[in-house]
Amino acid sequence: MNLSNGKAQKNNNHLIEVRSISFKYNNNARRALSNVSFFVDQGERIAILGHNGSGKSTLVKILGALLDPDEGFYFIDGQNLKDINPKKLRSTIGMVFQDPENQIVAAMVQDDIAFSPENQGLPSNEIQERVDKALNATGLQHKKNSAVHELSGGEKQRLAIAGALASHAKCLILDEPTAMLDPQGRLDVENALKKIHSNGTAIIQVTHQIENFDDIQRILILSHGEISWQGDFNGFIKNSERLGFELPDAYKIGSLDINYIARNFKGASNQINAGEKIKSGNEFEIKNLLFKFGENKPALDNINAVIKKSQWISIIGRTGSGKSTLVQHLNALYKIQQGEIFFDNMPLAQHGQDLKSLRQKVGLVFQNPEEQLFSPNVHDELAFAPRNAGFKNKELEDAINYSLDCVGLDKNFLTRNPLALSGGERRLVAIASVLACKPECLILDEPLAGLDASYQKKILELLKSLRDSGRTIIMITHDLKTALNYSDEIMILNNSKLVQIDTPENVLKKLTEILNPDVLPDILKISAQIHELNRDFPLTYDYKKFMSCISQV
Amino acid sequence: MYFSSINLGQYYPADSIIHKLDPRAKLFVMLMLVSAVFPSKSTASLFIWVLIFYVLAKLSRVPLRIIFKAARPIIFLVAFTFVFNIISVLWLGNILNALINAVFTSSRLLILMMFAVMLPLTTTPLELADGIESLLRPFEKFGFPANECALMVAMSLRFIPLLMNETDKIIKAQVSRGAVLDQGNLLSRIKAFFPVLIPLFIIIFRRADDIAISMEARGYIGGKGRTRRKPIIWKYFDTLAIFITALIVSLMLLYF
């Protein structure tokens, strides 16, 4: 590392520099961070990559001066943090966290952006200037008079970024800023960050997933509280496998001459895939379902769909497209206003004993289900649903053990406090608590959101084995790549209407039509570009199939 | 059964003289109008009040449709007053009298509420909070945390809808796990609500923690030294508005 040569050459100072930082939480034997050193220069953009539990969040808090390290030094502009007054500190670094809801303090957009310059005690005309600038940088001008609760998730996160920028930060520090957003929201935030970086603001982005990091200059990898690797983007691509990170497909493929491929691709070898109709019976049949909240426009507009037994159906669509409202009809959390739903060829139960047994047969796992845990130990949590369903004694204990077994947790979890588990373990317990009733259909709303790769994989494997054992899986997800690769059928909702429900192969065309190309999975995006030039080239999301098509050229 | 998303921030942005009024002036104006509508006794006076309301609505550039929509929850209260009045007066007199009385009382209430609704429609929560803060400032001498109170009011307007959503989600999740929340005696109902209350409190505490951290990260160190994007400044116009209102109110009270 290039250490600055004393006070004389001020310009040689790094914007941010930490030296040998260590930190340990009181009740923990292991250090959360140990001997971490790095620097960031003016206008630089770096990414700090790490899996869950690598110490990322602790590092973010230390960089934000929200936590004091046990050991080590922190310099801003060559000045020791201890000697910097809080006002200067807060006007040098701006923080953005994962959940925008916890960062926005005012009910109106402009009032919120103004919060930090107001804290700095600036005159009102200057505050307004900064608010306008921040609105501009984040592309929120058209929302400047909106109330916060009217914004989408992506807009809220951009508002949080605007709020951090308004402090005139020279460096933005972001902790998983896109983890809770849908693909379009993610793209909008990414574009805003690119613009902010090109305006000369340094950016430190902490994340567990590699995205389109075109303008990232350096990558640091944090594992077990230590920096285990650092280098530029190309170096990272070469070493990613060894470093334990999966590359986005676009980088695996490398650069392709799309025009050349389109010109020389001959024949559609293995394109026929239809005809393979599913034979199992109907789990749900939805007919002309219409639902309104109050007198607003319909949240579900004339939905007609059949969901087959023992299939894995993924429901995709933008936030507000009606996905959650639809699945909450399936276990009668919403009563049918208009239309019909058949479950197992019988009209869906709406009250009484039938409703009780419906809720046992159709299990619903909400978004962030770990937030709904309330019992003092895992055993009681898992007993909640089966006990409500009337399970007793041995039957109850069997159900508990069965569910724990399903999610792959061992018996000594039963006595543990759910609050003391890791995020991923809590998610598993929450899913188990629904599985305990042995539902024949399991509905999950964004089951992978916010989890790191290893837990995502665990949950996907779990769902796969449940499907293989005859259960119907209905999953709402923003993750198109996962939906395409794992499900038997995809249901696309858009603006409260059903666009299509069909096999992954058969929905590809629709997907490329209705979605912004930049939110498509890499392989699909590239194959769509080639398909556009040469209709013989198949649309595909499958890496192997794509590579075999390419190799024919 | 479930909370629908209740809208607390009713603010309707528009460029009007009413929007530009100092929130303190607006508060006084509304208080004066509302308390003057109360004692009005004649049909003529009610008619004039409607006219005054119409002028005010026009000046505010908030479409009548929006005002009625904002006032909708109040209609229930008005209807209740109407029915209650009929019943109570029927006890004493004849039907016609009861009906007239009921119409009169409930339309008075309706007008009164329409005036009241104009305040949140033309004032952002933050402006309102700032207005309240500056009215409370004299009490700061006695150690009253006026600034913190104002921030608290503004923040609760931001977070109450969010917590309603959270509550709604938790209720649904527990119901779909078979919880029964609306049966049995009081004790068993309270007990049945623990699966909702416990997660809700955990969420609230965790959020509060995160919010505190992000406020610190945005340089909040208490009310001292904070400035405002839109400082509330008392203008001649505000004094004029109060004067005009006072004039109207006294005329109404004297002659109608």
Side-chain angles (χ1 to χ4, degrees):
Chain A
M1 194 188 292
N2 194 10
L3 291 175
S4 50
N5 313 326
K7 285 170 195 164
Q9 294 157 290
K10 221 167 182 214
N11 290 341
N12 275 358
N13 287 333
H14 300 300
L15 178 59
I16 279 183
E17 182 179 359
V18 291
R19 278 188 216 154
S20 320
I21 291 232
S22 296
F23 185 83
K24 188 163 90 78
Y25 287 99
N26 289 336
N27 47 3
N28 231 322
R30 197 168 62 81
R31 288 209 275 197
L33 289 176
S34 113
N35 208 16
V36 170
S37 304
F38 66 92
F39 65 90
V40 181
D41 281 327
Q42 200 92 271
E44 219 186 353
R45 183 167 182 189
I46 74 162
I48 299 177
L49 271 174
H51 295 297
N52 284 2
S54 58
K56 280 179 307 180
S57 298
T58 311
L59 182 57
V60 167
K61 281 190 188 136
I62 288 176
L63 289 176
L66 302 164
L67 203 62
D68 281 331
D70 299 336
E71 290 162 41
F73 300 94
Y74 182 2
F75 300 94
I76 291 178
D77 257 342
Q79 218 179 338
N80 193 326
L81 185 73
K82 301 243 164 13
D83 307 327
I84 299 176
N85 80 35
K87 243 180 204 167
K88 179 173 183 228
L89 168 73
R90 296 299 164 207
S91 57
T92 309
I93 51 175
M95 308 286 298
V96 178
F97 298 95
Q98 187 172 357
D99 186 353
E101 298 286 11
N102 293 347
Q103 304 166 69
I104 300 169
V105 294
M108 306 296 295
V109 167
Q110 294 194 68
D111 292 340
D112 184 70
I113 300 176
F115 186 68
S116 122
E118 285 178 345
N119 289 334
Q120 292 175 18
L122 298 173
S124 59
N125 55 345
E126 208 177 324
I127 296 176
Q128 189 58 53
E129 234 169 74
R130 290 201 182 179
V131 169
D132 291 336
K133 247 192 187 160
L135 282 167
N136 222 328
T138 48
L140 284 175
Q141 301 94 326
H142 60 298
K143 293 285 179 186
K144 70 176 192 180
N145 290 320
S146 299
V148 171
H149 68 84
E150 291 164 7
L151 304 183
S152 72
E155 286 164 348
K156 279 181 188 156
Q157 191 59 288
R158 280 186 283 151
L159 174 58
I161 294 173
L165 275 181
S167 70
H168 257 193
K170 290 184 207 150
C171 180
L172 277 188
I173 300 167
L174 305 105
D175 187 3
E176 307 265 9
T178 61
M180 301 182 80
L181 308 179
D182 73 359
Q184 185 64 48
R186 215 168 259 204
L187 186 67
D188 293 341
V189 167
E190 265 310 318
N191 287 339
L193 288 178
K194 275 181 191 149
K195 189 169 164 195
I196 291 162
H197 177 223
S198 70
N199 289 342
T201 309
I203 296 181
I204 303 175
Q205 189 167 348
V206 174
T207 179
H208 67 242
Q209 53 196 2
I210 312 131
E211 292 178 67
N212 295 322
F213 281 175
D214 318 346
D215 63 341
I216 296 245
Q217 286 140 332
R218 267 187 306 136
I219 292 179
L220 274 66
I221 293 179
L222 194 65
S223 56
H224 305 293
E226 289 174 42
I227 302 251
S228 58
W229 187 86
Q230 60 174 313
D232 66 357
F233 192 51
N234 289 330
F236 174 76
I237 290 180
K238 275 181 216 131
N239 293 301
S240 67
E241 215 163 305
R242 183 175 62 79
L243 297 166
F245 287 89
E246 203 188 337
L247 278 181
D249 290 328
Y251 296 114
K252 274 198 242 166
I253 297 167
S255 64
L256 288 175
D257 185 347
I258 287 169
N259 289 313
Y260 177 82
I261 295 167
R263 244 180 291 123
N264 294 295
F265 183 78
K266 300 265 164 10
S269 50
N270 43 6
Q271 210 187 10
I272 313 112
N273 218 322
E276 200 193 292
K277 268 281 158 210
I278 300 142
K279 287 192 195 74
S280 62
N282 293 353
E283 185 82 293
F284 286 105
E285 188 176 1
I286 303 163
K287 281 185 180 168
N288 306 320
L289 186 67
L290 192 116
F291 186 82
K292 287 181 183 177
F293 289 105
E295 280 155 47
N296 301 324
K297 75 174 192 59
L300 291 174
D301 195 352
N302 200 24
I303 306 284
N304 283 290
V306 171
I307 294 169
K308 298 275 184 189
K309 266 191 204 301
S310 317
Q311 298 292 305
W312 181 335
I313 282 83
S314 290
I315 306 181
I316 59 172
R318 289 218 60 185
T319 310
S321 58
K323 298 173 306 226
S324 298
T325 315
L326 178 63
V327 297
Q328 286 172 27
H329 270 86
L330 298 181
N331 80 349
L333 277 175
Y334 286 121
K335 301 284 179 254
I336 298 171
Q337 288 176 350
Q338 211 178 310
E340 290 170 291
I341 301 176
F342 295 93
F343 172 59
D344 241 345
N345 299 317
M346 298 282 283
L348 191 78
Q350 301 282 291
H351 7 240
Q353 196 56 43
D354 293 344
L355 178 62
K356 205 171 159 186
S357 91
L358 170 73
R359 294 212 169 126
Q360 182 200 329
K361 285 182 195 152
V362 181
L364 181 49
V365 179
F366 277 76
Q367 223 168 330
N368 303 326
E370 59 278 9
E371 288 182 354
Q372 290 128 28
L373 304 180
F374 65 93
S375 305
N377 58 55
V378 172
H379 177 275
D380 290 3
E381 192 68 51
L382 298 181
F384 182 64
R387 198 176 274 147
N388 287 330
F391 289 39
K392 282 195 185 74
N393 306 330
K394 176 149 191 326
E395 202 187 5
L396 182 65
E397 292 308 315
D398 283 348
I400 292 165
N401 290 330
Y402 159 81
S403 65
L404 201 63
D405 206 41
C406 271
V407 298
L409 295 177
D410 61 63
K411 279 219 169 109
N412 59 37
F413 270 89
L414 286 176
T415 54
R416 294 178 64 181
N417 181 344
L419 288 180
L421 303 178
S422 77
E425 288 164 345
R426 278 215 301 276
R427 177 80 49 99
L428 288 177
V429 168
I431 294 175
S433 86
V434 173
L435 282 175
C437 276
K438 305 191 179 172
E440 65 173 82
C441 173
L442 186 67
I443 304 172
L444 306 101
D445 195 342
E446 295 286 353
L448 310 176
L451 295 181
D452 70 0
S454 71
Y455 272 100
Q456 290 196 358
K457 203 152 184 216
K458 228 175 232 175
I459 287 176
L460 287 170
E461 289 306 318
L462 162 69
L463 298 180
K464 210 159 138 189
S465 76
L466 287 169
R467 189 264 323 264
D468 292 343
S469 70
R471 302 264 163 45
T472 308
I473 305 290
I474 302 175
M475 173 175 91
I476 292 180
T477 184
H478 287 314
D479 184 346
L480 266 179
K481 194 179 161 195
T482 305
L484 289 167
N485 280 301
Y486 282 84
S487 2
D488 302 304
E489 290 204 301
I490 306 261
M491 183 191 277
I492 309 171
L493 289 181
N494 195 20
N495 283 329
S496 315
K497 289 199 174 69
L498 180 84
V499 178
Q500 198 179 8
I501 172 166
D502 212 328
T503 58
E505 286 289 332
N506 292 341
V507 297
L508 294 181
K509 196 158 172 43
K510 255 282 133 37
L511 285 180
T512 58
E513 282 165 20
I514 65 169
L515 292 176
N516 179 340
D518 286 331
V519 308
L520 295 174
D522 291 339
I523 302 276
L524 182 55
K525 179 177 160 188
I526 300 167
S527 75
Q529 284 167 354
I530 305 173
H531 182 78
E532 191 66 25
L533 300 169
N534 179 351
R535 293 283 154 182
D536 286 336
F537 194 89
L539 282 176
T540 183
Y541 56 89
D542 187 64
Y543 182 76
K544 278 190 196 132
K545 183 173 171 187
F546 179 77
M547 289 318 268
S548 89
C549 287
I550 297 285
S551 65
Q552 290 170 31
V553 176
Chain B
M1 178 174 182
Y2 310 120
F3 296 116
S4 55
S5 53
I6 292 170
N7 187 353
L8 286 160
Q10 293 170 315
Y11 180 68
Y12 181 89
D15 185 23
S16 81
I17 52 167
I18 307 289
H19 283 77
K20 286 197 186 102
L21 267 184
D22 186 298
R24 289 166 294 184
K26 251 187 281 192
L27 258 169
F28 280 129
V29 167
M30 291 305 155
L31 276 177
M32 277 196 278
L33 289 174
V34 163
S35 42
V37 175
F38 245 123
S40 59
K41 288 179 207 73
S42 67
T43 330
S45 72
L46 278 189
F47 186 74
I48 296 174
W49 279 124
V50 171
L51 215 66
I52 293 172
F53 168 74
Y54 183 76
V55 172
L56 189 71
K58 279 287 140 191
L59 283 177
S60 75
R61 297 199 178 160
V62 180
L64 284 172
R65 184 175 51 82
I66 302 284
I67 301 176
F68 289 129
K69 213 172 149 193
R72 200 183 296 153
I74 298 158
I75 305 288
F76 169 75
L77 191 68
V78 173
F80 178 77
T81 316
F82 182 79
V83 174
F84 188 75
N85 245 276
I86 289 190
I87 294 170
S88 62
V89 181
L90 260 183
W91 224 261
L92 310 165
N94 62 29
I95 292 193
L96 191 69
N97 246 337
L99 213 60
I100 291 174
N101 204 311
V103 169
F104 203 80
T105 316
S106 45
S107 40
R108 206 164 56 185
L109 187 65
L110 187 65
I111 296 168
L112 190 150
M113 290 301 190
M114 298 296 259
F115 278 124
V117 146
M118 293 300 291
L119 185 63
L121 276 174
T122 59
T123 321
T124 66
L126 198 73
E127 279 176 318
L128 208 57
D130 284 349
I132 296 169
E133 182 203 345
S134 92
L135 291 175
L136 291 174
R137 200 164 292 152
F139 298 100
E140 268 185 340
K141 277 194 213 112
F142 312 109
F144 183 79
N147 192 296
E148 281 74 7
C149 270
L151 187 69
M152 217 159 70
V153 171
M155 282 183 66
S156 46
L157 285 164
R158 148 98 182 96
F159 284 103
I160 286 172
L162 194 69
L163 288 178
M164 302 270 232
N165 279 342
E166 303 265 21
T167 313
D168 187 50
K169 203 177 103 183
I170 297 170
I171 290 179
K172 280 181 184 163
Q174 310 302 33
V175 165
S176 79
R177 282 203 284 166
V180 182
L181 302 176
D182 48 2
Q183 276 167 33
N185 59 28
L186 189 66
L187 194 71
S188 64
R189 277 187 198 208
I190 292 172
K191 231 178 106 190
F193 242 85
F194 277 123
V196 176
L197 290 179
I198 294 171
L200 186 63
F201 275 105
I202 295 171
I203 287 175
I204 289 174
F205 286 130
R206 216 200 41 221
R207 269 203 197 283
D209 224 31
D210 285 355
I211 292 161
I213 286 175
S214 71
M215 283 173 73
E216 192 190 339
R218 293 173 75 181
Y220 182 74
I221 38 173
K224 248 198 191 123
R226 282 201 76 199
T227 49
R228 291 290 192 281
R229 177 173 73 96
K230 273 178 159 176
I232 48 174
I233 301 163
W234 194 270
K235 302 168 290 287
Y236 281 123
F237 180 63
D238 297 303
T239 318
L240 188 68
I242 292 215
F243 185 71
I244 293 172
T245 317
L247 194 69
I248 293 172
V249 164
S250 23
L251 282 176
M252 289 298 290
L253 289 177
L254 282 174
Y255 294 100
F256 293 97

